[in-house]
Amino acid sequence: MTAAQTPLVVVGDALLDHDLCGRVERLAPDAPVPVVHGTRRSSRPGGAALAACLAAADGRPVTLVTALGPDAASDTLRELLAGRVGLVEVPLEGTLSSKTRVLAGDRPLLRLDDGEGRAREATQEAVSTIAAADGILVADYGRGTADVLRDALTHATAPVVWDPHVRGRPPVPGVRLATPSAQEARAFARQLDDADAGEAAGLRTAARDARALVEAWGAQAVAVTIGERGALLSHGETPLLVPTPAAATGDPCGAGDRFAATAAGLLADGALTEAAVQAAVHAATRYVAEGGARAVAVQDEPETAAEPQADSDTTADAVRTAARVRAAGGTVVAAGGCFDLLHAGHVALLQAARRAGDCLVVCINSDDSVRRRKGDGRPLVPAADRVRVLRALECVDAVAVFDEDTPERILGELRPHIWAKGGDYARTRLPEQPLVESWGGQVLLLPYLDGRSTTGLARRAALAPVPTGGRTR
């Protein structure tokens, strides 16, 4: 998405979100529950704060009007928002709501919710910010911010996009666009029909709900988001189906915020509602395909300082690097291998891979993984040293270490746009290719210098004559 000029004011309930991401390979012996290990903890803005960060990532100035307090979660969120968006606070009664998801890969296993804080009252600064806005997005998560500022939102002169929540109140009359999900539209319309089953019936239900909500809310338009099928836009008559450009698999958390933020920004820029909704569907699809909310997540620092480890700190840095480049609209390239005894063939491959995008993440096998693949005599160079040598190359932006036999897990965390391999794989379908293609990525084969191999170098080194005189070094 190109940078936009029109500033946007986001009004709503900010949350603090945490993810504990790991892998599951067995069930616990004392209960039929999955054992999650190898977890990495990350934190990110949630709710209206996520919507504000996504709008800012489009290149526009963003001010977030939200309720924060003196609690620890509010302080953490302030730190995460610093430098991303402007902040106008209204007082919070209680502690900021936070959510912790436990995931195996992209699959949520459990969610823990803490904090039930609510906005207490409006402030003059918040009211003035809304009155002066050129575009407004209301991200209502049912925790009172939109309620205490309802009068100011009712009298706003800027185009308003309202993303409602079933725990909140309906939008104020006259909003340019409301963006409920199909489930939210169904709950607001309160029209349950046992005959509505299957895809076609679901679309009919969404169309009926959208038409009812346009009339009930006095909205100019309602766009009901329907997941992987896109969105249904209604002005009160025959609806317009806006389909997704491609199937996208991945973590959908925050896709509704991505949709609403895109639509609000474009309407503030003067776009027609139909064009804004179409662009919002495309943006939400890309968002899911490229890793979702992880693009704005920050890896939590370890509690105690420690010497960087090849398979932990560098991998976390690689995930952050990929997320940062993706959030800025860049192309993430990844390449993989053992990279034992780095040679000219490796360097040529990595230089070519880096030229294909805006950053290069090199995924290397851990020492145990190399031994399983190559035998007990390998690797010749331990992982920590291989990481250090690779990171010294100008063409390499980050290095990730994986312990499995294949790189699928780390690729699922990085979600690169391009997975680069040497041309010697041209006649082979890589096992990770379906995974990369599932989020719209591309496997790219690059020329490989003939006659260069780690095995060949090691063999020649072993056969080299030993000097008989003088000093050796």
Side-chain angles (χ1 to χ4, degrees):
M1 181 172 295
T2 58
Q5 298 297 319
T6 307
L8 186 68
V9 173
V10 178
V11 181
D13 308 299
L15 311 173
L16 177 62
D17 289 348
H18 307 285
D19 280 347
L20 280 171
C21 298
R23 58 185 185 273
V24 174
E25 297 172 350
R26 61 189 179 91
L27 296 177
D30 54 342
V33 295
V35 176
V36 183
H37 59 99
T39 57
R40 296 187 184 91
R41 182 183 175 91
S42 61
S43 300
R44 66 174 184 275
L50 173 61
C53 288
L54 294 173
D58 292 339
R60 68 178 69 248
V62 175
T63 300
L64 172 63
V65 181
T66 193
L68 294 175
D71 56 290
S74 293
D75 288 340
T76 299
L77 185 58
R78 291 185 183 97
E79 294 176 3
L80 291 173
L81 293 175
R84 293 183 175 185
V85 301
L87 192 58
V88 174
E89 298 184 23
V90 300
L92 180 72
E93 189 74 41
T95 59
L96 184 71
S97 297
S98 64
K99 302 176 181 178
T100 301
R101 297 190 306 167
V102 180
L103 303 99
D106 287 331
R107 186 181 299 276
L109 302 177
L110 178 70
R111 198 181 91 180
L112 307 173
D113 288 5
D114 295 296
E116 291 293 337
R118 291 185 60 85
R120 187 171 68 237
E121 59 187 3
T123 65
Q124 185 55 50
E125 183 183 13
V127 171
S128 299
T129 300
I130 293 171
D134 296 304
I136 298 172
L137 167 61
V138 179
D140 184 10
Y141 277 77
R143 289 166 173 83
T145 303
D147 292 342
V148 300
L149 292 167
R150 194 170 183 85
D151 185 64
L153 292 167
T154 300
H155 294 94
T157 57
V160 176
V161 172
W162 196 294
D163 192 14
H165 193 286
V166 292
R167 294 177 57 179
R169 296 171 63 186
V172 299
V175 299
R176 179 72 63 86
L177 180 67
T179 61
S181 67
Q183 293 81 6
E184 290 163 343
R186 186 93 283 274
F188 278 114
R190 296 179 181 176
Q191 294 177 353
L192 302 176
D193 187 346
D194 292 339
D196 290 336
E199 181 172 328
L203 290 173
R204 287 199 299 270
T205 301
R208 187 176 65 246
D209 290 347
R211 180 175 181 176
L213 295 178
V214 167
E215 181 177 354
W217 290 346
Q220 295 185 33
V222 170
V224 178
T225 55
I226 47 180
E228 61 186 13
R229 288 176 289 176
L232 204 64
L233 174 63
S234 175
H235 294 277
E237 298 297 333
T238 305
L240 172 69
L241 176 63
V242 182
T244 56
T249 60
D251 185 1
C253 179
D257 296 299
R258 175 71 276 182
F259 178 91
T262 301
L266 290 176
L267 289 176
D269 293 339
L272 296 175
T273 302
E274 288 78 3
V277 170
Q278 184 176 36
V281 168
H282 285 234
T285 303
R286 287 196 306 272
Y287 170 87
V288 174
E290 294 179 356
R294 294 184 187 182
V296 296
V298 174
Q299 197 78 20
D300 290 3
E301 295 295 331
E303 304 233 345
T304 57
E307 187 70 19
Q309 298 296 315
D311 60 350
S312 57
D313 290 3
T314 58
T315 299
D317 177 67
V319 173
R320 285 195 298 269
T321 298
R324 185 169 59 251
V325 171
R326 207 167 31 239
T331 298
V332 178
V333 182
C338 298
F339 294 100
D340 200 8
L341 284 185
L342 192 70
H343 54 70
H346 291 144
V347 174
L349 174 69
L350 296 177
Q351 288 173 332
R354 180 60 177 83
R355 288 192 292 269
D358 299 293
C359 81
L360 172 62
V361 178
V362 180
C363 306
I364 70 169
N365 300 72
S366 70
D367 292 346
D368 287 341
S369 177
V370 174
R371 273 190 289 273
R372 289 194 300 269
R373 294 189 57 191
K374 305 287 188 178
D376 291 338
R378 301 282 295 274
L380 301 170
V381 178
D385 290 350
R386 287 184 281 136
V387 167
R388 187 171 184 178
V389 171
L390 285 166
R391 293 181 72 179
L393 295 178
E394 185 177 359
C395 60
V396 175
D397 297 280
V399 181
V401 182
F402 61 93
D403 194 48
E404 299 80 12
D405 293 336
T406 58
E408 278 94 338
R409 179 189 60 81
I410 191 62
L411 285 175
E413 294 188 43
L414 295 170
R415 288 182 171 264
H417 300 90
I418 296 173
W419 174 236
K421 298 293 290 185
D424 51 338
Y425 286 92
R427 299 177 184 273
T428 306
R429 181 170 175 82
L430 301 171
E432 59 268 25
Q433 184 168 345
L435 175 67
V436 174
E437 292 175 347
S438 72
W439 57 71
Q442 173 68 51
V443 174
L444 186 66
L445 297 179
L446 298 172
Y448 196 85
L449 294 180
D450 290 336
R452 279 81 169 182
S453 76
T454 299
T455 302
L457 285 174
R459 185 180 298 114
R460 288 196 296 273
L463 295 176
V466 178
T468 57
R471 293 188 302 169
T472 59
R473 294 179 181 266

